[in-house]
Amino acid sequence: MHGPASPGWLLVALCAATGAYCLLRLRSRVEEQRRSAGTEALMGFGMAAMAVPAAVFTPPPWAAAGYAAVFGAAALRALWAARADARHLHHLVGDAAMVYMALAMAASPGGHAHGGSGVPALTGVLLLYFTGYVLLSGVRLVPVAGVPAVPGGAVAWGDRPELSRACRLSMAIAMVAMLLTL
């Protein structure tokens, strides 16, 4: 994405760390964790690749089409999975946002995706969605008093629901940042 190098590298680090944690969740014994971990790892690493500052690396012309194809396929998979579990609709929106950003990159390889007329409507809708998701996810991370401990002792890193929520929260924050740079 286009913007200053320091925030770009922070986004790369955040998204790559999130993607790496999601890969750890693929080894979870909890099926619910494994179900979405692969999609979220792909999203984290894809966002990290898109966030590399343009001053450091200018992607080849075909990269935007590659992003669009990969995340278009992921969106179709999320749409298929949403038939059984509505939680995959968030993955569908995220994948669609990645396709949109890839197409915006292809349309304006040298600068911002839109002119001086303001924020395009789709960018605004996506910004509203992900900002709402960030706020809702932040509230869900607030500890609740009186919640009983997990039976059976310690929970593995890949099985911790609060970490998977934090993972999704960090990707939503990164998505807001990336949409703002369009």
Side-chain angles (χ1 to χ4, degrees), residues 28-51:
S28 172
R29 286 174 271 174
V30 179
E31 183 180 347
E32 180 183 334
Q33 294 289 339
R34 286 191 314 266
R35 208 175 293 150
S36 61
T39 301
E40 291 170 0
L42 174 68
M43 180 71 72
F45 290 127
M47 289 173 69
M50 287 179 89

Side-chain angles (χ1 to χ4, degrees), residues 19 22 29 45 55 59-60 66 69-70 99 123 125-126 131-132 140 146-147 150 158 161 166:
C22 291
R29 286 174 271 174
F45 290 127
V70 168
V99 170
T123 303
V125 169
L126 289 170
T131 301
R140 287 182 180 163
V147 175
V150 176

Side-chain angles (χ1 to χ4, degrees), residues 5-175:
S6 294
W9 285 119
L10 290 173
L11 272 175
V12 170
L14 174 70
C15 294
T18 301
Y21 174 71
C22 291
L23 285 179
L24 288 176
R25 286 180 40 223
L26 282 172
R27 296 178 32 189
S28 172
R29 286 174 271 174
V30 179
E31 183 180 347
E32 180 183 334
Q33 294 289 339
R34 286 191 314 266
R35 208 175 293 150
S36 61
T39 301
E40 291 170 0
L42 174 68
M43 180 71 72
F45 290 127
M47 289 173 69
M50 287 179 89
V52 172
V56 175
F57 174 73
T58 303
W62 53 265
Y67 288 135
V70 168
F71 286 103
L76 290 174
R77 182 184 179 282
L79 182 62
W80 183 259
R83 294 178 312 111
D85 189 358
R87 287 180 283 178
H88 289 282
L89 290 174
H90 174 69
H91 293 147
L92 176 62
V93 173
D95 292 332
M98 292 294 284
V99 170
Y100 173 67
M101 287 190 294
L103 294 175
M105 285 174 39
S108 64
H112 297 283
H114 54 81
S117 62
V119 177
L122 184 53
T123 303
V125 169
L126 289 170
L127 279 169
L128 283 174
Y129 173 81
F130 284 105
T131 301
Y133 188 86
V134 165
L135 294 173
L136 183 62
S137 295
V139 169
R140 287 182 180 163
L141 281 175
V142 174
V144 178
V147 175
V150 176
V155 177
W157 278 96
D159 298 337
R160 299 180 64 128
E162 71 275 10
L163 289 178
S164 63
R165 284 188 203 116
C167 171
R168 290 182 196 107
L169 173 63
S170 65
M171 283 194 289
I173 291 169
M175 187 68 77

